[in-house]
Coordinates of all heavy atoms in Angstrom, one line a residue:
L95 N 0.8 -1.2 0.0 CA 0.0 0.0 0.0 C 0.9 1.3 0.0 O 0.5 2.3 -0.6 CB -1.0 0.0 1.2 CG -2.1 -1.0 1.1 CD1 -2.8 -1.1 2.5 CD2 -3.1 -0.6 0.0
E96 N 2.0 1.2 0.7 CA 2.9 2.3 0.7 C 3.5 2.6 -0.7 O 3.6 3.7 -1.1 CB 4.0 2.1 1.7 CG 5.0 3.2 1.8 CD 4.5 4.4 2.5 OE1 3.6 4.3 3.4 OE2 4.9 5.5 2.2
K97 N 3.8 1.5 -1.4 CA 4.5 1.6 -2.7 C 3.5 1.9 -3.8 O 3.8 2.8 -4.6 CB 5.2 0.3 -3.0 CG 6.0 0.3 -4.3 CD 6.8 -0.9 -4.4 CE 7.6 -0.9 -5.7 NZ 8.4 -2.1 -5.9
F98 N 2.3 1.2 -3.8 CA 1.4 1.3 -4.9 C 0.1 2.1 -4.6 O -0.7 2.3 -5.5 CB 1.1 -0.1 -5.5 CG 2.3 -0.9 -5.9 CD1 2.7 -2.0 -5.2 CD2 3.0 -0.5 -7.0 CE1 3.8 -2.7 -5.6 CE2 4.1 -1.2 -7.5 CZ 4.5 -2.3 -6.7
D99 N -0.1 2.4 -3.4 CA -1.4 2.9 -2.9 C -2.5 1.9 -3.2 O -2.2 0.7 -3.2 CB -1.7 4.2 -3.6 CG -2.7 5.1 -2.8 OD1 -2.9 4.8 -1.6 OD2 -3.2 6.1 -3.3
L100 N -3.7 2.3 -3.3 CA -4.8 1.3 -3.5 C -5.0 1.0 -5.0 O -5.4 1.9 -5.7 CB -6.1 1.9 -3.0 CG -6.4 1.7 -1.5 CD1 -7.7 2.5 -1.1 CD2 -6.5 0.3 -1.1
V101 N -4.5 -0.1 -5.4 CA -4.7 -0.5 -6.8 C -6.1 -0.9 -7.0 O -6.7 -0.7 -8.1 CB -3.7 -1.7 -7.1 CG1 -3.9 -2.2 -8.6 CG2 -2.3 -1.2 -7.0
E102 N -6.7 -1.6 -6.1 CA -8.1 -2.0 -6.1 C -8.8 -1.5 -4.9 O -8.4 -1.8 -3.8 CB -8.2 -3.6 -6.2 CG -9.6 -4.1 -6.3 CD -9.6 -5.6 -6.4 OE1 -8.6 -6.2 -6.6 OE2 -10.7 -6.1 -6.3
I103 N -9.8 -0.7 -5.1 CA -10.5 0.0 -4.0 C -11.4 -1.0 -3.3 O -11.9 -1.9 -4.0 CB -11.2 1.2 -4.4 CG1 -12.3 0.9 -5.5 CG2 -10.3 2.3 -4.9 CD1 -13.2 2.1 -5.8
P104 N -11.6 -0.9 -2.0 CA -12.6 -1.8 -1.3 C -14.0 -1.6 -1.8 O -14.4 -0.5 -2.3 CB -12.5 -1.3 0.1 CG -11.1 -0.7 0.2 CD -10.9 0.0 -1.1
A105 N -14.8 -2.7 -1.8 CA -16.2 -2.6 -2.2 C -17.0 -2.5 -1.0 O -16.8 -3.3 0.0 CB -16.5 -3.8 -3.1
I106 N -18.0 -1.7 -1.0 CA -18.9 -1.5 0.2 C -20.3 -1.5 -0.3 O -20.6 -1.3 -1.5 CB -18.6 -0.2 1.0 CG1 -18.8 1.0 0.1 CG2 -17.2 -0.3 1.6 CD1 -18.8 2.3 0.9
N107 N -21.3 -1.8 0.6 CA -22.7 -1.7 0.2 C -23.2 -0.3 0.5 O -22.5 0.6 1.0 CB -23.5 -2.8 0.8 CG -23.6 -2.7 2.3 OD1 -23.3 -1.7 2.9 ND2 -24.1 -3.8 3.0
L108 N -24.5 -0.1 0.4 CA -25.1 1.2 0.6 C -25.0 1.7 2.1 O -25.2 2.8 2.4 CB -26.5 1.3 0.1 CG -26.7 1.1 -1.4 CD1 -28.1 1.0 -1.8 CD2 -26.0 2.2 -2.2
D109 N -24.8 0.7 3.0 CA -24.8 1.0 4.4 C -23.3 1.2 4.9 O -23.1 1.1 6.1 CB -25.5 -0.1 5.2 CG -26.9 -0.2 4.9 OD1 -27.6 0.9 4.6 OD2 -27.5 -1.3 5.0
N110 N -22.4 1.3 4.0 CA -20.9 1.4 4.3 C -20.3 0.1 4.9 O -19.2 0.1 5.4 CB -20.7 2.5 5.3 CG -20.6 3.9 4.7 OD1 -20.6 4.0 3.5 ND2 -20.6 4.9 5.5
K111 N -21.0 -1.0 4.7 CA -20.5 -2.3 5.2 C -19.5 -2.8 4.1 O -19.9 -2.8 2.9 CB -21.6 -3.3 5.4 CG -21.0 -4.6 6.1 CD -22.1 -5.4 6.7 CE -22.5 -4.9 8.0 NZ -23.4 -5.7 8.8
I112 N -18.4 -3.2 4.5 CA -17.3 -3.7 3.6 C -17.7 -5.1 3.1 O -18.0 -6.0 3.8 CB -16.0 -3.8 4.3 CG1 -15.6 -2.5 4.9 CG2 -14.9 -4.3 3.4 CD1 -14.4 -2.5 5.9
I113 N -17.7 -5.2 1.7 CA -18.0 -6.4 1.1 C -16.6 -7.1 0.6 O -16.5 -8.3 0.7 CB -18.8 -6.2 -0.2 CG1 -20.2 -5.6 0.2 CG2 -19.0 -7.5 -1.0 CD1 -21.0 -5.1 -0.9
A114 N -15.7 -6.3 0.2 CA -14.4 -6.8 -0.2 C -13.3 -5.8 0.1 O -13.6 -4.6 -0.1 CB -14.4 -7.1 -1.7
G115 N -12.2 -6.2 0.7 CA -11.1 -5.3 1.0 C -10.9 -5.1 2.5 O -10.3 -4.1 2.9
H116 N -11.4 -6.0 3.3 CA -11.3 -5.9 4.7 C -9.8 -5.6 5.2 O -9.6 -4.8 6.0 CB -11.8 -7.1 5.4 CG -13.3 -7.2 5.4 ND1 -13.9 -7.7 4.3 CD2 -14.2 -7.0 6.3 CE1 -15.2 -7.7 4.6 NE2 -15.4 -7.3 5.8
Q117 N -8.9 -6.4 4.6 CA -7.5 -6.3 5.1 C -6.9 -5.0 4.7 O -6.1 -4.4 5.4 CB -6.7 -7.5 4.6 CG -7.3 -8.8 4.9 CD -7.7 -9.0 6.4 OE1 -7.0 -8.5 7.3 NE2 -8.8 -9.7 6.6
R118 N -7.2 -4.5 3.5 CA -6.7 -3.2 3.1 C -7.3 -2.1 4.0 O -6.5 -1.2 4.4 CB -7.1 -2.9 1.6 CG -6.3 -3.7 0.6 CD -6.9 -3.6 -0.8 NE -7.9 -4.6 -0.8 CZ -8.9 -4.6 -1.7 NH1 -9.0 -3.7 -2.7 NH2 -9.8 -5.6 -1.7
V119 N -8.5 -2.1 4.3 CA -9.2 -1.1 5.2 C -8.5 -1.2 6.5 O -8.2 -0.1 7.1 CB -10.7 -1.3 5.2 CG1 -11.3 -0.5 6.3 CG2 -11.3 -1.0 3.9
T120 N -8.3 -2.4 7.1 CA -7.7 -2.5 8.4 C -6.3 -1.9 8.4 O -6.0 -1.2 9.3 CB -7.7 -4.0 8.8 OG1 -9.0 -4.5 8.9 CG2 -7.0 -4.2 10.2
T121 N -5.6 -2.2 7.4 CA -4.2 -1.6 7.3 C -4.2 -0.1 7.2 O -3.5 0.6 7.9 CB -3.5 -2.2 6.1 OG1 -3.4 -3.7 6.2 CG2 -2.1 -1.7 6.0
L122 N -5.2 0.4 6.4 CA -5.3 1.9 6.3 C -5.7 2.5 7.6 O -5.2 3.6 8.0 CB -6.3 2.2 5.2 CG -5.8 1.9 3.8 CD1 -6.9 2.1 2.8 CD2 -4.6 2.8 3.4
M123 N -6.6 1.8 8.4 CA -7.0 2.4 9.6 C -5.9 2.4 10.7 O -5.8 3.3 11.4 CB -8.2 1.5 10.2 CG -9.5 1.7 9.4 SD -10.7 0.5 9.9 CE -11.6 1.5 11.1
L124 N -5.0 1.4 10.6 CA -3.8 1.4 11.5 C -2.9 2.6 11.2 O -2.3 3.1 12.1 CB -3.1 0.1 11.4 CG -3.8 -1.1 12.0 CD1 -3.1 -2.4 11.6 CD2 -4.0 -1.0 13.5
R125 N -2.8 3.0 10.0 CA -2.0 4.1 9.6 C -2.5 5.4 10.1 O -1.8 6.3 10.3 CB -1.9 4.2 8.1 CG -1.0 3.2 7.4 CD -1.0 3.4 6.0 NE 0.0 2.5 5.4 CZ 0.3 2.6 4.1 NH1 -0.3 3.5 3.3 NH2 1.2 1.8 3.6
E126 N -3.8 5.5 10.2 CA -4.4 6.8 10.7 C -4.2 7.1 12.1 O -4.4 8.2 12.6 CB -5.9 6.8 10.4 CG -6.3 6.9 8.9 CD -7.7 7.1 8.7 OE1 -8.5 7.0 9.6 OE2 -8.1 7.4 7.5

């Protein structure tokens, strides 16, 4: 993620629930 940023963005539903990309989101949250 540091080198390439988000190549594939996480998929969410209309309620902001993550459908795909949980690990990317978790990693980004740790950075914040």
